[in-house]
Every structure is written in C-alpha cells, then in structure tokens.
Amino acid sequence: MYGQKVKHLVLLKQQRYAFFAFFIILEGLTMAKREITLYTDGACSGNPGVGGWAAVLIYKQHRKEISGAEAETTNNRMELRAIIEGLKAIKDASAIVNVYSDSAYSVNAINEGWIYGWAINGWRTSGKDDVKNVDLWKELLALMKKHDVTFIKVKGHADNELNNRCDTLARGAIKELQKTIALDSLPF
C-alpha cells in the first residue's frame, strides 16, 4: 500500500514538472519580443531656448511619428526627451529596440557606460560635478529596464532619411510652440 502511494506521488511530480516545462516552452514561443526601430532627434532655437523633440517608430511595415516642444530647455534635454518619449510610445511590455540618434551626448553616455558610473557615484561625474539632466537620465534608465535597448550613433544632418525626418518634426514642433508663445505675449 505504501509503495503504491510513493509511486503515485512520483508520477504526479513528474507530470507537474512536465506541465511546467511545457508552459515555459510555450511562454517562450508566445512571448517572442518584437523588434522596433526608433529614430530620434532633438533641436533647440537658442541654447537654452525653445526646444523640440521627435521620434519615428517603425515595426515591420508600420510607422508612427511623434513630436513635442518645451518653452525653456536645452538641445541635450531635447535629445534625451526624444528617446524617452519614443520608448514610452512602445505599447509592448518588453521589446527589442534599436535607437538611432545623432546625439553623441546620449549615445556615448549609454554605450561608453558613463550613465552607470554616474548612477553609482550618486549622479556625479568623474570630476565630481553634478550630472546635468539627472531627471531625464533616471527616466531613461527606468525605461531601458523594460526593453532590450541598443543605441546606434548616426551622423546628423546627413543623408539619413529618418534622422532628417525627426529633425524636421522637432523643428516644426518648435515653430508651433513659438507661435503660441508669441500669441500669449499679446496684451489682449
């Protein structure tokens, strides 16, 4: 009697492990990550001044363009904002994202590992200065934890169609905000 119970428990355990193994394999197949291409650019009219950012997201044959502007900012902040907003626009919980940017400031901070050193050092540079744009770097790091992100540096204002498109969108966002600012300054 005791032997039959042991055999039954062993069989149940084996079935349970087989079920979990099957579930893990199935989950891996159904949860394949999508690969998304993200082009970004930031621009500023004056530095500091009115700034704009833009991103073009591509997944297979689908394309989405987003842009925005801020009244008092810097070019580097807009470069970071473009990447952040592009990553935030991704609906998947986790994706493979290839970020193309002409910003050496943004790309090198990630690819050279500076951002990780800054975080470890309490957001101070190797020269013990405060890191600029900490709020945006922290937001970017949080978004990078959600996705598998690779940063690729592209030459700005060259023959890269999607980088040029981002530049056009960012500059358009600046012009739209400048119109609003001009209207808001009227006495009526």
Side-chain angles (χ1 to χ4, degrees):
M1 178 85 162
Y2 179 73
Q4 286 181 318
K5 284 185 179 180
V6 170
K7 284 182 184 177
H8 183 68
L9 286 174
V10 169
L11 184 59
L12 283 175
K13 255 187 174 176
Q14 288 173 344
Q15 288 173 344
R16 189 167 70 196
Y17 288 135
F19 171 75
F20 284 121
F22 173 74
F23 179 75
I24 290 168
I25 291 168
L26 181 63
E27 183 180 33
L29 293 174
T30 60
M31 301 301 282
K33 292 183 180 183
R34 297 181 205 212
E35 188 166 340
I36 297 168
T37 299
L38 172 60
Y39 274 82
T40 65
D41 197 21
C44 219
S45 180
N47 198 16
V50 178
W53 58 267
V56 175
L57 296 99
I58 300 168
Y59 172 68
K60 295 186 179 180
Q61 75 276 10
H62 305 284
R63 180 169 158 164
K64 180 178 185 176
E65 297 179 347
I66 58 174
S67 61
E70 294 179 16
E72 189 65 21
T73 190
T74 65
N75 191 69
N76 283 340
R77 286 188 69 81
M78 292 296 90
E79 295 284 0
L80 288 170
R81 176 60 62 201
I83 297 166
I84 289 166
E85 295 302 325
L87 290 172
K88 285 167 64 174
I90 297 170
K91 296 176 185 174
D92 288 7
S94 181
I96 298 168
V97 185
N98 295 309
V99 177
Y100 293 84
S101 172
D102 63 9
S103 169
Y105 173 71
S106 304
V107 174
N108 290 345
I110 303 298
N111 289 347
E112 301 295 325
W114 303 338
I115 191 170
Y116 307 110
W118 297 337
I120 289 168
N121 293 327
W123 294 101
R124 295 202 178 277
T125 66
S126 59
K128 305 298 181 212
D129 296 321
D130 289 337
V131 172
K132 294 179 181 173
N133 308 312
V134 173
D135 57 328
L136 298 177
W137 287 117
K138 287 180 178 180
E139 190 174 0
L140 178 57
L141 272 180
L143 289 165
M144 287 174 57
K145 288 178 183 175
K146 287 179 57 177
H147 304 291
D148 295 333
V149 184
T150 301
F151 283 78
I152 300 109
K153 171 77 171 73
V154 296
K155 187 173 179 181
H157 311 287
D159 60 352
N160 188 306
E161 175 191 345
L162 293 172
N163 180 256
N164 290 338
R165 178 63 182 151
C166 287
D167 184 64
T168 299
L169 291 168
R171 294 194 178 284
I174 290 172
K175 287 179 184 175
E176 287 302 311
L177 183 56
Q178 285 173 327
K179 287 179 194 175
T180 303
I181 293 169
L183 289 175
D184 288 346
S185 67
L186 293 174
F188 48 87

